[in-house]
Amino acid sequence: MADLIQLARLRFDDWDRVGRKAAVLGEARHAGFRVPDGFAVPWQVLADVLDGVGDDPRAAVQRIRTAPLPSALREELSAALDALGGVPVAVRSSGVEEDLAGRSFAGQYDSVLKVVGVDAVIKALRQCWASAFSDHLAAYRSGVGTPAPVGVLIQAMVPATAAGVAFSANPVTGDRDETLVSAVTGLGDRLMAGESDADEWSVRDGTARLVSGPGKAITAAQAGEAAQLADRVAEQFGTPQDVEWAFSDGTLWLLQARPITTLADDPAPPAVEVPPGFHVRDPRSPAPRPRLEATVYLPVLSASARHLFAFTTKVALTATEIGGWVYLNSGPAEAGSTRRIAEQVAEGEPLALVERWESEWKPAYAARIGQLRQRDIRALTEPALAAHTEEVAAFFAEFHDVYFRLAGAAMFLSAQLGLLAQRYLDWPPGDLLPLRGGLAGAHMGAVIGLGDLARQAADDPVLRAELERDTAGALERLHSLNPHFAEAFETYLDEHGHRSPGFDLTEPTFAERPAVVLAMVSAQLDEHFDPEERRAALARRVHPLRAELERRLASRPATERHAFAAALAAAELSAPIRDEKSHLAVSAWALLRYAALEIGARLAAAGQLDRQEDVFHVPLQQALAALGNSADLHQEVRLGRTRHQWALAHPGPRFYGTPTAGPAQDPDPDRDPSELPAGVRHVRDVARWTTRQMQTAPPQTPQTDGLGGLGASAGRTTGLARIVRGPGDFGRVRKGDVLVCPETTAQWAVLFPSLAGLVADGGSLLSHPAILAREYGIPAVVATGNATAVLRDGDLVEVDGTAGTVRLNTFLTARRTEQRHG
């Protein structure tokens, strides 16, 4: 559609196009909240209607009421309403300056409910537009400036049996531990208008207490559910929230969310200071990092990331925190750097680093992690626990330096192969990728072990039946159900569970989530993972590519054949390292999580913290120092949590500053390239090839009934979409599902034996989901941008990993929905 924007495609960053109400609900839906479907009319549509009117509010209202609307808009509205099923809709104003920190604008704009038909929707649309120019809104804005733009959100009405509002913090007392819930029967508009007495509930520590009213609108359990919704929304947006909700046939819906603007005594928000230069938000930091994590991760990243382009452009990355978010900065390469790289490449340094990993670093670091894990940190004295934590943090820094040195070497070796394939064989970058890998990475132990557990469980009829009926109940009774399996399950957790899912200290490991692991075992009961069969299938897929490669090479000169063979061997040797170093890195990170939690437990027991997890909001050195004294850390925790929440609620842009000249700079830009030494030309060409691949964007969506992205693993498949945003959702994946996720890390490999296909919001040809999908022979489309928001759990989707498209099978999805609701 040219003007209307589907709610599923909106994010918070779109607030300046559609208003904050629509943008917030789009972001909430993307995050997994149940939000009624709909679409937005951007404010630019109103601007086009008012073109030439000037600043006179009365003239603007007159134009809004009488001006004919573009015929295309009417057609789009009609089609969009049909797509919602012709149900009554709510037409709601969505102001650009609505729900700001200083003013909420609550009730200042109009909304119209129970609207049916395109004519009635257009009438309601005009009413919402006109409300932006009302006298009472002008008074509310204190007459400052001209009216801000207003968009309109149109959503399917929820046939509410009860509705109301919930405050995730008490707006009167400022108590963050109390959630207030107001409820009325039917629609909530009577409550907002003050036309109905509401039931008022106070919810604290999960217990709901009726404060006033007859208590007939909702039950205490439903009040607790509404309070939990408000708390989850507050956590999502990083600040206390005032939410509107509705129950329909027992299902809770989120209708609106805005910050509570009346809370006092919050620390002042941090000043956002942007250093000079060009800064890009760190892709490995999808959220602001709590203070303890930031004090470890940020210096390590800044010190080690300089190695990433060591053999291509020599650009040194550094990391900095801006507004609570991690950004990477790079300046131009130093003069003469390409010649120095050429000397290192001629001496074989990239390949030497890879070989050193295999012979020295990998076994040494694996042994060190094993020794640190065997240490009983609960038995340590406070000084010994502090020393252990500092040792783990120092080890992580040491390992990460090697991590990025290897990443830089592997980048060069991979790019060199891609360049030669393009130069000698006229093969595009993606055509060689299936030749690399081979189901042999460090993740394979966890994958094979999970399949072995599934095989054991399937062979026991009693255990199998219990797992199919109630996984959580089976976990509690594993030893009585099958002692041998219970012992094998505990061994699996000990061997493979002590790794963090990513570089987020607040995320539990699988060892802390045994129920999730057992659910993944249950998903393989009918078809266990067979590594040899999968490897044979991979070999069958790769064989034609190998044959074609040999055919094309046969006609090339011997020097080119030898150069290509050496490049391919080096790239294949480096391929497993990405998985192996990630495996060890998250194992080290888990050790730091365990140490931090032990510190938090001791500080909470001493009354220095309220909760064990509060330790994540205190700088590491301050937490360590508190172990040896009675320092009260409550204010530090509050400061850390508030600033973290502020950063969550105020995501910075993807970029700050203006980019400098591209990193792949010529060593002598005015010199004829043919006059440069051959080694220098080779490094320059590899660097240019790398830069082009990093800047290549996936194709745009080629159709209107689906998603477009980057085809990362060839083939077609159809399956039920399973929206998975993190390891906590792993247990929901079943055999034949299509995994729909933001992106993956190597720790997600345990899911792949069960998958029919994969769709990711992010990624590239060399990303983890793409590599794993190719190894498992799963069609995959990555870099879709918003698949996790557009698709819904249980949708039947068709994934074409060759064309890079994802289509929703609307007919079969509807039939399955009918069957589910029977």
Side-chain angles (χ1 to χ4, degrees):
M1 292 182 177
D3 293 315
L4 309 185
I5 305 174
Q6 295 300 312
L7 183 63
R9 296 184 179 274
L10 292 176
R11 296 291 182 278
F12 184 75
D13 288 346
D14 294 314
W15 63 268
D16 57 349
R17 291 198 296 157
V18 297
R20 291 184 178 265
K21 183 182 297 176
V24 165
L25 288 179
E27 184 72 31
R29 175 166 168 159
H30 175 67
F33 291 92
R34 187 178 287 108
V35 176
D37 201 5
F39 54 91
V41 183
W43 66 263
Q44 185 60 47
V45 178
L46 172 59
D48 292 342
V49 171
L50 296 178
D51 186 32
V53 168
D55 297 333
D56 184 353
R58 291 180 175 81
V61 171
Q62 181 65 21
R63 173 72 67 85
I64 289 170
R65 290 174 176 170
T66 60
L69 300 183
S71 59
L73 177 61
R74 180 185 179 89
E75 293 172 1
E76 291 186 10
L77 285 170
S78 180
L81 293 170
D82 288 344
L84 292 179
V87 299
V89 296
V91 182
R92 313 171 68 193
S93 302
S94 179
V96 169
E97 61 182 358
E98 203 172 0
D99 301 337
L100 295 171
R103 292 181 176 181
S104 70
F105 283 79
Q108 300 300 315
Y109 296 100
D110 284 359
S111 291
V112 186
L113 306 182
K114 299 181 181 179
V115 184
V116 179
V118 66
D119 290 331
V121 166
I122 289 175
K123 181 179 179 181
L125 181 66
R126 293 182 188 272
Q127 180 178 335
C128 291
W129 283 341
S131 68
F133 300 90
S134 65
D135 292 339
H136 66 81
L137 182 61
Y140 183 85
R141 299 181 73 252
S142 301
V144 178
T146 58
V150 60
V152 176
L153 174 63
I154 300 174
Q155 291 176 279
M157 286 289 298
V158 172
T161 53
V165 298
F167 293 89
S168 67
N170 189 315
V172 178
T173 66
D175 188 349
R176 267 70 167 175
D177 295 326
E178 181 183 26
T179 303
L180 301 183
V181 178
S182 301
V184 296
T185 56
L187 296 175
D189 56 330
R190 296 179 300 119
L191 173 64
M192 312 307 171
E195 299 171 358
S196 175
D197 292 331
D199 295 337
E200 303 288 350
W201 296 82
S202 170
V203 183
R204 188 185 294 272
D205 295 329
T207 301
R209 178 176 60 88
L210 184 65
V211 176
S212 64
K216 295 181 179 180
I218 57 175
T219 65
Q222 288 177 317
E225 192 176 347
Q228 188 178 45
L229 172 66
D231 292 341
R232 287 172 51 222
V233 174
E235 182 179 357
Q236 173 66 32
F237 290 103
T239 188
Q241 295 282 310
D242 160 11
V243 307
E244 296 180 19
W245 53 265
F247 276 105
S248 177
D249 293 330
T251 298
L252 181 61
W253 294 83
L254 174 64
L255 304 182
Q256 185 169 341
R258 60 167 71 93
I260 301 175
T261 59
T262 57
L263 294 178
D265 298 326
D266 274 334
V272 179
E273 298 180 0
V274 182
F278 180 62
H279 306 270
V280 181
R281 192 188 295 172
D282 176 23
R284 298 207 308 172
S285 300
R289 296 181 178 273
R291 285 208 289 174
L292 187 146
E293 184 176 307
T295 55
V296 177
Y297 181 81
L298 197 61
V300 169
L301 178 63
S302 194
S304 57
R306 60 192 172 89
H307 298 306
L308 188 58
F309 300 110
F311 298 108
T312 51
T313 64
K314 211 67 172 182
V315 166
L317 292 179
T318 56
T320 188
E321 195 174 62
I322 304 176
W325 293 78
V326 180
Y327 283 81
L328 300 176
N329 170 268
S330 63
E334 297 178 8
S337 59
T338 306
R339 285 189 173 81
R340 288 196 297 275
I341 296 173
E343 293 171 358
Q344 293 172 309
V345 169
E347 294 171 359
E349 188 169 329
L351 185 57
L353 288 173
V354 170
E355 292 171 338
R356 186 179 177 188
W357 166 257
E358 193 64 34
S359 63
E360 176 188 344
W361 281 328
K362 182 170 67 171
Y365 285 135
R368 182 94 170 271
I369 289 171
Q371 293 167 0
L372 289 169
R373 187 179 296 156
Q374 291 303 313
R375 199 173 284 168
D376 184 2
I377 59 176
R378 293 185 179 181
L380 296 177
T381 63
E382 273 74 14
L385 176 59
H388 167 80
T389 305
E390 291 181 320
E391 181 182 354
V392 170
F395 170 67
F396 180 77
E398 175 191 334
F399 177 79
H400 234 61
D401 189 75
V402 172
Y403 183 105
F404 272 96
R405 290 176 69 186
L406 289 164
M411 177 184 290
F412 173 82
L413 296 175
S414 177
Q416 177 177 247
L417 178 63
L419 175 67
L420 295 184
Q422 182 176 308
R423 179 181 294 168
Y424 296 163
L425 308 177
D426 196 27
W427 271 20
D431 283 15
L432 279 180
L433 294 175
L435 295 177
R436 302 173 58 190
L439 296 172
H443 67 272
M444 287 303 298
V447 175
I448 293 172
L450 203 64
D452 290 341
L453 288 174
R455 190 174 294 105
Q456 291 183 47
D459 289 342
D460 181 338
V462 175
L463 177 58
R464 177 189 177 111
E466 189 64 24
L467 288 175
E468 291 175 336
R469 187 183 69 83
D470 181 12
T471 304
L475 179 63
E476 296 177 358
R477 300 188 294 114
L478 270 188
H479 282 278
S480 60
L481 288 169
N482 187 322
H484 178 70
F485 177 87
E487 182 179 349
F489 184 72
E490 290 173 357
T491 299
Y492 179 88
L493 291 179
D494 185 58
E495 291 180 353
H496 305 293
H498 296 289
R499 302 196 300 272
S500 59
F503 294 103
D504 181 355
L505 282 184
T506 66
E507 187 77 37
T509 64
F510 283 127
E512 298 171 89
R513 286 172 160 166
V516 172
V517 178
L518 195 58
M520 289 190 288
V521 172
S522 180
Q524 290 192 41
L525 289 175
D526 291 326
E527 189 174 342
H528 329 310
F529 177 69
D530 185 337
E532 295 311 315
E533 189 280 328
R534 289 294 185 111
R535 289 188 178 115
L538 177 61
R540 289 192 296 271
R541 292 193 301 273
V542 168
H543 179 74
L545 295 173
R546 291 267 182 194
E548 175 63 13
L549 174 64
E550 292 174 2
R551 186 190 69 79
R552 294 196 184 194
L553 281 174
S555 62
R556 306 301 300 181
T559 54
E560 293 184 3
R561 292 200 304 271
H562 294 325
F564 187 87
L568 179 59
E572 288 182 328
L573 186 64
S574 69
I577 290 182
R578 178 170 187 169
D579 182 60
E580 292 168 349
K581 62 185 177 62
S582 175
H583 174 90
L584 293 181
V586 295
S587 297
W589 200 237
L591 292 173
L592 187 61
R593 169 178 167 81
Y594 293 158
L597 287 174
E598 178 62 23
I599 294 169
R602 297 191 189 193
L603 295 176
Q608 294 165 269
L609 298 175
D610 286 333
R611 306 173 186 84
Q612 179 185 34
E613 293 78 8
D614 286 347
V615 72
F616 293 121
H617 293 290
V618 179
L620 177 61
Q621 290 304 319
Q622 195 165 357
L624 293 175
L627 280 174
N629 56 46
S630 57
D632 189 328
L633 297 177
H634 289 84
Q635 183 60 30
E636 281 298 323
V637 170
R638 185 180 175 199
L639 174 65
R641 179 181 286 113
T642 300
R643 293 194 172 182
H644 182 67
Q645 291 176 341
W646 185 91
L648 279 170
H650 299 83
R654 293 183 181 89
F655 309 101
Y656 278 111
T658 303
T660 57
Q665 297 179 8
D666 288 335
D668 294 290
D670 298 327
R671 187 175 176 183
D672 186 344
S674 64
E675 298 177 4
L676 296 172
V680 173
R681 290 202 309 271
H682 180 64
V683 169
R684 182 201 60 181
D685 291 344
V686 169
R688 285 179 166 179
W689 189 91
T690 302
T691 302
R692 284 197 300 270
Q693 300 312 311
M694 294 176 66
Q695 293 175 347
T696 299
Q700 297 299 311
T701 305
Q703 71 282 339
T704 59
D705 60 342
L707 293 167
L710 188 64
S713 180
R716 292 183 180 180
T717 190
T718 299
L720 295 180
R722 192 65 58 210
I723 311 298
V724 176
R725 292 186 170 84
D729 296 330
F730 281 13
R732 298 172 45 246
V733 175
R734 290 294 176 264
K735 185 68 180 177
D737 283 351
V738 171
L739 175 66
V740 182
C741 59
E743 202 169 343
T744 72
T745 64
Q747 283 57 255
W748 292 51
V750 290
L751 296 177
F752 279 71
S754 300
L755 302 180
L758 179 141
V759 180
D761 292 344
S764 66
L765 288 176
L766 291 174
S767 62
H768 276 116
I771 293 171
L772 290 174
R774 287 192 293 269
E775 291 190 352
Y776 284 85
I778 298 168
V781 178
V782 301
T784 62
N786 59 351
T788 52
V790 174
L791 300 177
R792 293 209 172 183
D793 217 60
D795 281 347
L796 191 67
V797 294
E798 301 168 355
V799 181
D800 189 332
T802 304
T805 60
V806 183
R807 295 177 185 272
L808 176 65
N809 192 316
T810 309
F811 174 74
L812 289 181
T813 296
R815 290 293 301 274
R816 288 177 181 266
T817 302
E818 291 173 3
Q819 292 168 3
R820 284 199 300 267
H821 293 85

